[in-house]
Amino acid sequence: MAKESPSEWLERLNKQFCLNEKPFLTVKVGEPKVVGEKCCNLSMAITFTNNTENRTCIKLHPYHIRDVVKQER
């Protein structure tokens, strides 16, 4: 992510995992804002629901949690 902008990161994920070509996935991008936050809080949530209505969601972030904690100190 260091050499990518947030929009480039999102575009790379869409291409790498062909997210736009999988109708059984729901993709949601968010960037909640918190007062005083130094690091962009961008995330991509990918949700899959199977035939028995079991939902699975994974959330991807462009930054390692260690880097986020370091910036907040």
PDB file of all heavy atoms in Angstrom, residues 15-32:
ATOM      1  N   LYS A  15      -9.632  -5.954  -9.113  1.00  0.00           N
ATOM      2  CA  LYS A  15      -9.072  -6.698 -10.245  1.00  0.00           C
ATOM      3  C   LYS A  15      -8.494  -8.036  -9.813  1.00  0.00           C
ATOM      4  O   LYS A  15      -8.721  -9.062 -10.449  1.00  0.00           O
ATOM      5  CB  LYS A  15      -7.978  -5.871 -10.936  1.00  0.00           C
ATOM      6  CG  LYS A  15      -8.509  -4.744 -11.769  1.00  0.00           C
ATOM      7  CD  LYS A  15      -7.366  -3.999 -12.428  1.00  0.00           C
ATOM      8  CE  LYS A  15      -7.871  -2.825 -13.232  1.00  0.00           C
ATOM      9  NZ  LYS A  15      -6.759  -2.066 -13.825  1.00  0.00           N
ATOM     10  N   GLN A  16      -7.741  -8.033  -8.730  1.00  0.00           N
ATOM     11  CA  GLN A  16      -7.057  -9.241  -8.273  1.00  0.00           C
ATOM     12  C   GLN A  16      -8.044 -10.357  -7.929  1.00  0.00           C
ATOM     13  O   GLN A  16      -7.802 -11.521  -8.219  1.00  0.00           O
ATOM     14  CB  GLN A  16      -6.195  -8.911  -7.054  1.00  0.00           C
ATOM     15  CG  GLN A  16      -5.383 -10.072  -6.533  1.00  0.00           C
ATOM     16  CD  GLN A  16      -4.436  -9.634  -5.429  1.00  0.00           C
ATOM     17  OE1 GLN A  16      -4.286  -8.447  -5.145  1.00  0.00           O
ATOM     18  NE2 GLN A  16      -3.798 -10.583  -4.795  1.00  0.00           N
ATOM     19  N   PHE A  17      -9.166 -10.007  -7.301  1.00  0.00           N
ATOM     20  CA  PHE A  17     -10.129 -11.008  -6.865  1.00  0.00           C
ATOM     21  C   PHE A  17     -11.384 -11.044  -7.745  1.00  0.00           C
ATOM     22  O   PHE A  17     -12.331 -11.747  -7.417  1.00  0.00           O
ATOM     23  CB  PHE A  17     -10.517 -10.762  -5.402  1.00  0.00           C
ATOM     24  CG  PHE A  17      -9.337 -10.879  -4.473  1.00  0.00           C
ATOM     25  CD1 PHE A  17      -8.809  -9.755  -3.855  1.00  0.00           C
ATOM     26  CD2 PHE A  17      -8.737 -12.105  -4.230  1.00  0.00           C
ATOM     27  CE1 PHE A  17      -7.723  -9.858  -3.007  1.00  0.00           C
ATOM     28  CE2 PHE A  17      -7.644 -12.219  -3.388  1.00  0.00           C
ATOM     29  CZ  PHE A  17      -7.140 -11.094  -2.774  1.00  0.00           C
ATOM     30  N   CYS A  18     -11.387 -10.281  -8.843  1.00  0.00           N
ATOM     31  CA  CYS A  18     -12.517 -10.246  -9.788  1.00  0.00           C
ATOM     32  C   CYS A  18     -13.838 -10.015  -9.057  1.00  0.00           C
ATOM     33  O   CYS A  18     -14.850 -10.675  -9.322  1.00  0.00           O
ATOM     34  CB  CYS A  18     -12.580 -11.534 -10.608  1.00  0.00           C
ATOM     35  SG  CYS A  18     -11.075 -11.900 -11.514  1.00  0.00           S
ATOM     36  N   LEU A  19     -13.843  -9.077  -8.141  1.00  0.00           N
ATOM     37  CA  LEU A  19     -15.013  -8.869  -7.284  1.00  0.00           C
ATOM     38  C   LEU A  19     -16.237  -8.402  -8.057  1.00  0.00           C
ATOM     39  O   LEU A  19     -17.362  -8.710  -7.681  1.00  0.00           O
ATOM     40  CB  LEU A  19     -14.667  -7.874  -6.171  1.00  0.00           C
ATOM     41  CG  LEU A  19     -13.597  -8.359  -5.203  1.00  0.00           C
ATOM     42  CD1 LEU A  19     -13.210  -7.250  -4.236  1.00  0.00           C
ATOM     43  CD2 LEU A  19     -14.042  -9.603  -4.467  1.00  0.00           C
ATOM     44  N   ASN A  20     -16.035  -7.667  -9.126  1.00  0.00           N
ATOM     45  CA  ASN A  20     -17.169  -7.177  -9.913  1.00  0.00           C
ATOM     46  C   ASN A  20     -17.818  -8.280 -10.739  1.00  0.00           C
ATOM     47  O   ASN A  20     -18.906  -8.096 -11.278  1.00  0.00           O
ATOM     48  CB  ASN A  20     -16.727  -6.039 -10.833  1.00  0.00           C
ATOM     49  CG  ASN A  20     -16.265  -4.829 -10.060  1.00  0.00           C
ATOM     50  OD1 ASN A  20     -16.745  -4.570  -8.966  1.00  0.00           O
ATOM     51  ND2 ASN A  20     -15.323  -4.093 -10.613  1.00  0.00           N
ATOM     52  N   GLU A  21     -17.162  -9.426 -10.860  1.00  0.00           N
ATOM     53  CA  GLU A  21     -17.665 -10.525 -11.684  1.00  0.00           C
ATOM     54  C   GLU A  21     -18.347 -11.612 -10.863  1.00  0.00           C
ATOM     55  O   GLU A  21     -18.740 -12.638 -11.412  1.00  0.00           O
ATOM     56  CB  GLU A  21     -16.497 -11.144 -12.463  1.00  0.00           C
ATOM     57  CG  GLU A  21     -15.819 -10.163 -13.394  1.00  0.00           C
ATOM     58  CD  GLU A  21     -14.537 -10.710 -13.989  1.00  0.00           C
ATOM     59  OE1 GLU A  21     -14.325 -11.936 -13.945  1.00  0.00           O
ATOM     60  OE2 GLU A  21     -13.744  -9.902 -14.487  1.00  0.00           O
ATOM     61  N   LYS A  22     -18.497 -11.410  -9.572  1.00  0.00           N
ATOM     62  CA  LYS A  22     -19.062 -12.439  -8.701  1.00  0.00           C
ATOM     63  C   LYS A  22     -20.360 -11.923  -8.072  1.00  0.00           C
ATOM     64  O   LYS A  22     -20.330 -11.242  -7.043  1.00  0.00           O
ATOM     65  CB  LYS A  22     -18.041 -12.831  -7.647  1.00  0.00           C
ATOM     66  CG  LYS A  22     -16.810 -13.452  -8.299  1.00  0.00           C
ATOM     67  CD  LYS A  22     -15.806 -13.909  -7.296  1.00  0.00           C
ATOM     68  CE  LYS A  22     -14.753 -14.730  -7.973  1.00  0.00           C
ATOM     69  NZ  LYS A  22     -13.502 -14.185  -8.156  1.00  0.00           N
ATOM     70  N   PRO A  23     -21.512 -12.261  -8.681  1.00  0.00           N
ATOM     71  CA  PRO A  23     -22.786 -11.723  -8.199  1.00  0.00           C
ATOM     72  C   PRO A  23     -23.177 -12.217  -6.806  1.00  0.00           C
ATOM     73  O   PRO A  23     -24.030 -11.602  -6.155  1.00  0.00           O
ATOM     74  CB  PRO A  23     -23.789 -12.200  -9.245  1.00  0.00           C
ATOM     75  CG  PRO A  23     -23.156 -13.370  -9.895  1.00  0.00           C
ATOM     76  CD  PRO A  23     -21.670 -13.137  -9.829  1.00  0.00           C
ATOM     77  N   PHE A  24     -22.564 -13.276  -6.306  1.00  0.00           N
ATOM     78  CA  PHE A  24     -22.898 -13.803  -4.984  1.00  0.00           C
ATOM     79  C   PHE A  24     -22.159 -13.071  -3.859  1.00  0.00           C
ATOM     80  O   PHE A  24     -22.357 -13.351  -2.685  1.00  0.00           O
ATOM     81  CB  PHE A  24     -22.615 -15.314  -4.910  1.00  0.00           C
ATOM     82  CG  PHE A  24     -21.220 -15.676  -5.346  1.00  0.00           C
ATOM     83  CD1 PHE A  24     -20.171 -15.677  -4.455  1.00  0.00           C
ATOM     84  CD2 PHE A  24     -20.973 -16.023  -6.671  1.00  0.00           C
ATOM     85  CE1 PHE A  24     -18.891 -16.008  -4.858  1.00  0.00           C
ATOM     86  CE2 PHE A  24     -19.696 -16.366  -7.085  1.00  0.00           C
ATOM     87  CZ  PHE A  24     -18.646 -16.362  -6.187  1.00  0.00           C
ATOM     88  N   LEU A  25     -21.321 -12.113  -4.230  1.00  0.00           N
ATOM     89  CA  LEU A  25     -20.602 -11.305  -3.245  1.00  0.00           C
ATOM     90  C   LEU A  25     -21.182  -9.905  -3.175  1.00  0.00           C
ATOM     91  O   LEU A  25     -21.568  -9.332  -4.186  1.00  0.00           O
ATOM     92  CB  LEU A  25     -19.117 -11.190  -3.609  1.00  0.00           C
ATOM     93  CG  LEU A  25     -18.292 -12.457  -3.621  1.00  0.00           C
ATOM     94  CD1 LEU A  25     -16.859 -12.132  -4.027  1.00  0.00           C
ATOM     95  CD2 LEU A  25     -18.309 -13.134  -2.273  1.00  0.00           C
ATOM     96  N   THR A  26     -21.209  -9.369  -1.982  1.00  0.00           N
ATOM     97  CA  THR A  26     -21.567  -7.969  -1.786  1.00  0.00           C
ATOM     98  C   THR A  26     -20.303  -7.264  -1.315  1.00  0.00           C
ATOM     99  O   THR A  26     -19.669  -7.696  -0.354  1.00  0.00           O
ATOM    100  CB  THR A  26     -22.660  -7.818  -0.714  1.00  0.00           C
ATOM    101  OG1 THR A  26     -23.793  -8.586  -1.115  1.00  0.00           O
ATOM    102  CG2 THR A  26     -23.062  -6.371  -0.545  1.00  0.00           C
ATOM    103  N   VAL A  27     -19.937  -6.197  -1.998  1.00  0.00           N
ATOM    104  CA  VAL A  27     -18.721  -5.452  -1.660  1.00  0.00           C
ATOM    105  C   VAL A  27     -19.118  -4.063  -1.196  1.00  0.00           C
ATOM    106  O   VAL A  27     -19.878  -3.360  -1.864  1.00  0.00           O
ATOM    107  CB  VAL A  27     -17.768  -5.361  -2.875  1.00  0.00           C
ATOM    108  CG1 VAL A  27     -16.530  -4.563  -2.513  1.00  0.00           C
ATOM    109  CG2 VAL A  27     -17.389  -6.753  -3.362  1.00  0.00           C
ATOM    110  N   LYS A  28     -18.607  -3.689  -0.029  1.00  0.00           N
ATOM    111  CA  LYS A  28     -18.902  -2.367   0.530  1.00  0.00           C
ATOM    112  C   LYS A  28     -17.581  -1.714   0.928  1.00  0.00           C
ATOM    113  O   LYS A  28     -16.746  -2.328   1.588  1.00  0.00           O
ATOM    114  CB  LYS A  28     -19.808  -2.501   1.755  1.00  0.00           C
ATOM    115  CG  LYS A  28     -20.175  -1.189   2.378  1.00  0.00           C
ATOM    116  CD  LYS A  28     -21.066  -1.401   3.591  1.00  0.00           C
ATOM    117  CE  LYS A  28     -21.312  -0.089   4.290  1.00  0.00           C
ATOM    118  NZ  LYS A  28     -22.014  -0.280   5.563  1.00  0.00           N
ATOM    119  N   VAL A  29     -17.411  -0.484   0.512  1.00  0.00           N
ATOM    120  CA  VAL A  29     -16.204   0.277   0.845  1.00  0.00           C
ATOM    121  C   VAL A  29     -16.606   1.379   1.816  1.00  0.00           C
ATOM    122  O   VAL A  29     -17.615   2.060   1.626  1.00  0.00           O
ATOM    123  CB  VAL A  29     -15.564   0.884  -0.426  1.00  0.00           C
ATOM    124  CG1 VAL A  29     -14.386   1.768  -0.068  1.00  0.00           C
ATOM    125  CG2 VAL A  29     -15.137  -0.229  -1.373  1.00  0.00           C
ATOM    126  N   GLY A  30     -15.825   1.539   2.865  1.00  0.00           N
ATOM    127  CA  GLY A  30     -16.122   2.570   3.847  1.00  0.00           C
ATOM    128  C   GLY A  30     -14.860   3.264   4.304  1.00  0.00           C
ATOM    129  O   GLY A  30     -13.754   2.729   4.214  1.00  0.00           O
ATOM    130  N   GLU A  31     -15.049   4.467   4.800  1.00  0.00           N
ATOM    131  CA  GLU A  31     -13.933   5.230   5.361  1.00  0.00           C
ATOM    132  C   GLU A  31     -14.465   6.087   6.505  1.00  0.00           C
ATOM    133  O   GLU A  31     -14.612   7.300   6.380  1.00  0.00           O
ATOM    134  CB  GLU A  31     -13.275   6.102   4.294  1.00  0.00           C
ATOM    135  CG  GLU A  31     -11.975   6.700   4.746  1.00  0.00           C
ATOM    136  CD  GLU A  31     -11.260   7.469   3.649  1.00  0.00           C
ATOM    137  OE1 GLU A  31     -11.626   7.364   2.481  1.00  0.00           O
ATOM    138  OE2 GLU A  31     -10.308   8.186   3.993  1.00  0.00           O
ATOM    139  N   PRO A  32     -14.769   5.433   7.644  1.00  0.00           N
ATOM    140  CA  PRO A  32     -15.287   6.200   8.779  1.00  0.00           C
ATOM    141  C   PRO A  32     -14.251   7.204   9.284  1.00  0.00           C
ATOM    142  O   PRO A  32     -13.057   6.941   9.238  1.00  0.00           O
ATOM    143  CB  PRO A  32     -15.592   5.145   9.832  1.00  0.00           C
ATOM    144  CG  PRO A  32     -14.969   3.889   9.364  1.00  0.00           C
ATOM    145  CD  PRO A  32     -14.630   4.037   7.920  1.00  0.00           C
TER     146      PRO A  32
END
